[in-house]
């Protein structure tokens, strides 16, 4: 049994004082047997790093540029994230695919840029409600993953994958453990065809994970942890989810 991975995605929430309280709450509640990560907004990375010094909680970012460096106003490179001590970066979150028109190709390029600097990309895939209802779930997630496999080739074993059905994000609707497992199995098989490391890779589930549904989701054979949004903003809820990931 591999260690589970639980990642908090703070999205565009927080303030210096709220973050300090949240991190203090997590430090008090831990450690857990799962690997725990918080992905925080860019301006708070340095302070988070300081607050987590000597702790087993890792930290990361929620996006990075596909470029190395250069005249890209407003962008943050994976080299900068590595420089700040980030171990992880979320790429291809559905909110970025939807609101910032990120393509499968761009998401793959961001994953490659992250790996080039030793930052593990957490690559998100997932179908919308309309796609699910049209029976396209498998086609969509496989297309999104295929772009990353194609670009990273033999390095694909180094990523973390997150299945986040768009209809379950922030809606209170969770995929049932069986629905999630079915998609995770499809993704695992796609990875198995691409790398010998597939069985050891982590495939996280995200979308309205809460303390009361986490254990059932994490008990599925191909669910290796969770990507947590709303519930990651409350120390009690996030630590209960980390505890559920035994
Ligand atoms: P949620 O968000 O847990 O609030 O549904 C998950 C995510 O967007 O990563």
């Amino acid at each position: 049994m591999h260690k589970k991975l639980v990642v908090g995605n703070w999205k565009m929430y927080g303030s210096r004082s709220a973050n300090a309280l949240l991190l203090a709450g997590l430090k008090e509640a831990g450690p857990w047997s799962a690997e725990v990560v918080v992905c925080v907004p860019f301006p708070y990375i340095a302070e988070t790093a300081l607050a987590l010094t000597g702790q087993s909680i890792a930290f990361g970012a929620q996006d990075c540029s596909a470029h190395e460096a250069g005249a890209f106003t407003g962008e943050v490179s994976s080299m900068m994230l590595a420089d700040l001590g980030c171990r992880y970066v979320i790429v291809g979150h559905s909110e970025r695919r939807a609101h910032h028109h990120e393509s499968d190709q761009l998401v793959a390029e961001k994953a490659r840029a992250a790996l080039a600097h030793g930052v593990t990309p957490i690559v998100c895939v997932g179908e919308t409600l309309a796609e699910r209802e049209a029976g396209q779930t498998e086609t969509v997630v496989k297309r999104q993953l295929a772009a990353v496999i194609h670009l990273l080739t033999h390095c694909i074993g180094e990523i973390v994958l997150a299945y986040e059905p768009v209809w379950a994000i922030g809606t209170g609707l969770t995929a049932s453990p069986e629905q999630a497992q079915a998609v995770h199995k499809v993704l695992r098989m796609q990875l198995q065809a691409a790398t010998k490391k597939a069985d050891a890779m982590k495939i996280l589930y995200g979308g309205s994970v809460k303390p009361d549904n986490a254990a059932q989701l994490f008990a599925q054979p191909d669910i290796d942890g969770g990507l947590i949004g709303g519930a990651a903003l409350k120390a009690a809820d996030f630590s209960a989810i980390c505890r559920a990931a035994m």
Side-chain angles (χ1 to χ4, degrees):
M1 204 54 177
H2 305 296
K3 224 178 183 186
K4 300 269 190 215
L5 172 62
V6 181
V7 181
N9 172 13
W10 289 7
K11 309 196 179 188
M12 199 174 72
Y13 292 107
S15 64
R16 296 178 71 192
S17 57
N19 303 346
L21 272 175
L22 177 51
L23 291 171
L26 295 182
K27 284 195 268 188
E28 209 176 286
W32 303 273
S33 56
E35 184 182 350
V36 175
V37 182
V38 289
C39 288
V40 310
F42 291 133
Y44 297 130
I45 292 173
E47 223 164 38
T48 300
L50 209 60
L52 293 178
T53 306
Q55 299 287 322
S56 56
I57 306 171
F59 57 91
Q62 302 167 16
D63 183 35
C64 69
S65 174
H67 302 286
E68 260 309 293
F72 300 103
T73 302
E75 293 244 77
V76 175
S77 73
S78 55
M79 192 267 284
M80 295 169 185
L81 299 183
D83 197 21
L84 287 166
C86 288
R87 288 240 291 274
Y88 293 91
V89 60
I90 298 170
V91 297
H93 190 281
S94 62
E95 287 151 14
R96 295 209 60 87
R97 290 182 190 260
H99 307 315
H100 300 268
H101 311 292
E102 294 195 3
S103 64
D104 296 342
Q105 176 66 22
L106 179 64
V107 171
E109 286 168 12
K110 289 182 172 194
R112 179 174 63 181
L115 279 180
H117 293 282
V119 180
T120 300
I122 300 171
V123 178
C124 302
V125 300
E127 82 288 3
T128 63
L129 185 59
E131 288 163 341
R132 173 163 284 263
E133 285 173 346
Q136 292 168 349
T137 299
E138 267 194 36
T139 314
V140 170
V141 297
K142 284 171 87 171
R143 186 203 73 220
Q144 291 171 334
L145 177 56
V148 186
I149 291 174
H150 181 73
L151 196 71
L152 299 188
T153 60
H154 61 277
C155 293
I156 189 67
E158 309 303 318
I159 74 162
V160 168
L161 188 60
Y163 169 55
E164 296 206 308
V166 179
W167 49 271
I169 296 177
T171 58
L173 295 174
T174 319
S176 68
E178 296 73 25
Q179 278 175 322
Q181 166 58 26
V183 179
H184 279 236
K185 177 88 201 157
V186 166
L187 294 170
R188 181 87 63 197
M189 285 167 62
Q190 192 177 358
L191 290 170
Q192 279 162 345
T195 172
K196 287 194 177 67
K197 293 184 178 169
D199 291 338
M201 288 177 69
K202 292 200 162 60
I203 310 179
L204 312 182
Y205 170 78
S208 297
V209 179
K210 303 282 182 259
D212 60 0
N213 61 20
Q216 271 183 306
L217 287 159
F218 296 161
Q220 299 301 311
D222 288 296
I223 300 185
D224 306 304
L227 181 54
I228 321 299
L233 297 172
K234 292 187 197 128
D237 285 0
F238 190 60
S239 52
I241 292 168
C242 294
R243 259 197 312 281
M246 304 291 277

